[in-house]
Amino acid sequence: DPFAGLRRGTAKAGALLRLLIPARETAAEAPPSAMRFFAEVLDQTGNGYLDWPDLAAMAREIATRLDLGVRNEDRLFAAFSDWWRELQAALDTDHDGRVSGPEYAATAATMSGPALIRVAEVLFDVTDTDDDQVIDAEEHRRLFRVAFDHDLGEAGAPARLTRAAFVREFLNFMAGRHHSDDYDRLFAQA
């Protein structure tokens, strides 16, 4: 299939959008299952397992799209590498060097170790271009225009996200605890 690579790349771009758009939760929305999150976002290679190549692909795609400098790219890869080691130590119950969907789903909702927090902090730092420790609506919109060639419009970006709020949203999303119309709409467009 000559379009398999294109479809895979498009799916990855959608997954990256889902990574970085702050989730908005309402009482009527049910959070996605950890298995759905695992399949749609984490399993970048599509082999049914999470391993270092999946996380390295995510880090590489984020770094490329955001045109990170060497220092920030190194910080991002180091955080993803540390996160992989945390996941492997905590979730690889059969010790096969990879994490299956069921292994991830069993404890993902409680996973928010220091390495994943560092991933969120690196993403916050590269998005907070004026270094005021807040991601404003324009920085948020710029992130998506530059990194994902997607215009969120005026209503699609939060007014302000502090570091703590961004980290919290990121951790909730990465644990599969958040559902978001923005994520679903963008992922469906991919």
Side-chain angles (χ1 to χ4, degrees), residues 2 9 17 19 21 25 27 45 48-50 59 81-82 84 105 107 113 133 137-138 144 162 164 170 172 175:
L17 286 170
L19 263 176
I21 298 174
E25 200 170 35
T45 58
Y49 293 94
L50 175 62
S81 178
D82 290 346
W84 167 241
T107 58
Q133 295 303 300
E138 183 52 37
F144 285 92
T162 64
F170 182 82
N172 284 333

Side-chain angles (χ1 to χ4, degrees), residues 48-51 84 88 91-100 103:
Y49 293 94
L50 175 62
D51 52 18
W84 167 241
Q88 194 174 22
L91 305 179
D92 184 12
T93 57
D94 61 7
H95 307 292
D96 66 351
R98 56 192 184 173
V99 175
S100 69
E103 287 172 327

Side-chain angles (χ1 to χ4, degrees), residues 93-161:
T93 57
D94 61 7
H95 307 292
D96 66 351
R98 56 192 184 173
V99 175
S100 69
E103 287 172 327
Y104 180 81
T107 58
T110 61
M111 293 295 296
S112 58
L116 188 55
I117 291 169
R118 279 193 302 279
V119 170
E121 288 177 339
V122 171
L123 292 174
F124 180 90
D125 291 343
V126 300
T127 302
D128 180 23
T129 56
D130 61 7
D131 293 324
D132 67 352
Q133 295 303 300
V134 173
I135 295 174
D136 62 36
E138 183 52 37
E139 287 170 325
H140 194 260
R141 282 190 295 272
R142 189 177 323 117
L143 169 70
F144 285 92
R145 276 193 310 268
V146 171
F148 305 108
D149 194 27
H150 181 79
D151 185 7
L152 293 175
E154 293 299 315
R160 294 173 51 91
L161 283 173

Side-chain angles (χ1 to χ4, degrees), residues 59-60 63-64 68-78 122 126:
R60 181 176 27 263
T64 300
L68 298 183
V70 173
R71 181 180 165 276
N72 284 326
E73 184 175 342
D74 288 348
R75 288 179 58 215
L76 185 66
F77 270 88
V122 171
V126 300

